[in-house]
Amino acid sequence: MPEGSQRLISFWVGTVLMGLAVLAPFGVNEYYQSFLLQVFLVVALAQAWNLISGMTGYVSFGHAAFFGVGAYAGALLLTWGFPWWAAILHGAGIAALLAVPLGFLTLRLRGPYFAIAMLGLNEVGRIVATLWVDVTRGGTGLTLSPTLLPSLDMKYFTMLGLALGATLLVAWVHRSRFGLELRAIREDEEAAEMVGVNTTRNKVTAFVLSALIPGAVGAVYAMYTSYINPASAFDHARNIEMIVVVLFGGSGTVWGPIIGAATVMVLREMLWAQFPAAHLAALGVLLLIVVLYLPGGLVSIVRERQQNRPDARPGESP
């Protein structure tokens, strides 16, 4: 399929999905609205992980650290009198600022060393939040007064906006020279350096952008739950969730995290209803099957079908 046709189809599919998401709060109850909000949360986080790990090849096991920083920053700023929208912006900004020095330090590492360093970063965040009792209230956590919080509709549309913004950012990066250089780093960093790619600048830029999104999402999440503590803010399971969703949908692609998030969240909800005691194990088995037999994710099915069309030209990229 020609690239122009692919973009047109992507545009119309995205427009229809966006329209349905905007209209959903007016036609569903609060349960389904909350479920969709959580889907958008996962989409935004998955796109952020996809930016640094899927496109650049630096697998992170600690991106929940930026989520936790944004959650605490947003919650604290709300209690200090900031409006909710300013708390979200500051949460994103603080996470991004923190990512600058961390990027220069950790991105010198490669492979499992970078992954372990990021895992340690998440644990450091949890320990700091636990011990800094004067500010974070330690293990007791922070409870936000309902009078400080926006309505559910406002939180829903804010999270939708973050998911859309993260997706558009990844789409732009994917089609830009910057994205081409990131993929070159993923394939062979030494070769990319030899042809003039500034690998350090590109890696740190991608790292900061991938921290900005979880920072904002974390702030909205704190407002959504109205409570935050070290265990929920710096949850290791959230790191695994990002990775699983991206691998399930298709790593390094624009639509992969969206397809992965929607599929995983629906499967998890269905399995929880049918097998409340073993739904996580059942979901894990399904995900393992997909990862083993579809290493390119669900997106690879569409690509394979397009490549096998009788009218497909040799070398045509779906």
Side-chain angles (χ1 to χ4, degrees), residues 104-180:
F104 279 106
L105 290 173
T106 59
L107 290 169
R108 297 175 183 273
L109 305 171
R110 298 184 184 180
Y113 301 103
F114 174 78
I116 293 171
M118 290 302 297
L119 185 64
L121 173 65
N122 188 68
E123 187 64 16
V124 168
R126 187 188 65 81
I127 293 172
V128 170
T130 302
L131 298 181
W132 201 359
V133 179
D134 292 341
V135 175
T136 65
R137 298 180 189 171
T140 304
L142 294 169
T143 301
L144 301 175
S145 170
T147 59
L148 302 174
L149 304 176
S151 65
L152 177 61
D153 285 346
M154 190 60 68
K155 288 178 281 193
Y156 173 91
F157 286 115
T158 302
M159 196 69 82
L160 172 60
L162 291 175
L164 175 63
T167 301
L168 292 177
L169 174 63
V170 171
W172 173 80
V173 170
H174 193 269
R175 294 185 173 92
S176 67
R177 178 182 176 85
F178 174 51
L180 181 62

Side-chain angles (χ1 to χ4, degrees), residues 237-253:
R238 201 170 301 280
N239 290 313
I240 303 301
E241 183 179 61
M242 296 183 209
I243 298 171
V244 167
V245 164
V246 174
L247 294 180
F248 197 91
S251 178
T253 66

Side-chain angles (χ1 to χ4, degrees), residues 29-219:
N29 57 33
E30 288 190 359
Y31 170 80
Y32 289 106
Q33 187 176 356
S34 295
F35 174 74
L36 288 174
L37 186 151
Q38 294 176 55
V39 173
F40 301 148
L41 180 150
V42 175
V43 169
L45 292 180
Q47 292 288 21
W49 190 88
N50 189 35
L51 189 59
I52 185 63
S53 299
M55 290 191 178
T56 315
Y58 277 72
V59 178
S60 170
F61 281 95
H63 252 57
F66 300 116
F67 176 90
V69 168
Y72 267 102
L76 289 169
L77 289 168
L78 272 179
T79 60
W80 294 341
F82 282 74
W84 64 268
W85 55 268
I88 296 172
L89 292 176
H90 281 79
I94 291 171
L97 286 174
L98 179 64
V100 174
L102 288 173
F104 279 106
L105 290 173
T106 59
L107 290 169
R108 297 175 183 273
L109 305 171
R110 298 184 184 180
Y113 301 103
F114 174 78
I116 293 171
M118 290 302 297
L119 185 64
L121 173 65
N122 188 68
E123 187 64 16
V124 168
R126 187 188 65 81
I127 293 172
V128 170
T130 302
L131 298 181
W132 201 359
V133 179
D134 292 341
V135 175
T136 65
R137 298 180 189 171
T140 304
L142 294 169
T143 301
L144 301 175
S145 170
T147 59
L148 302 174
L149 304 176
S151 65
L152 177 61
D153 285 346
M154 190 60 68
K155 288 178 281 193
Y156 173 91
F157 286 115
T158 302
M159 196 69 82
L160 172 60
L162 291 175
L164 175 63
T167 301
L168 292 177
L169 174 63
V170 171
W172 173 80
V173 170
H174 193 269
R175 294 185 173 92
S176 67
R177 178 182 176 85
F178 174 51
L180 181 62
E181 292 179 347
L182 291 182
R183 291 192 292 276
I185 293 171
R186 179 186 65 191
E187 298 302 325
D188 192 328
E189 188 167 341
E190 287 78 10
E193 289 177 344
M194 291 177 63
V195 297
V197 175
N198 190 330
T199 58
T200 299
R201 181 190 64 194
N202 286 334
K203 289 188 298 183
V204 172
T205 301
F207 189 73
V208 171
L209 290 175
S210 72
L212 182 76
I213 299 165
V217 172

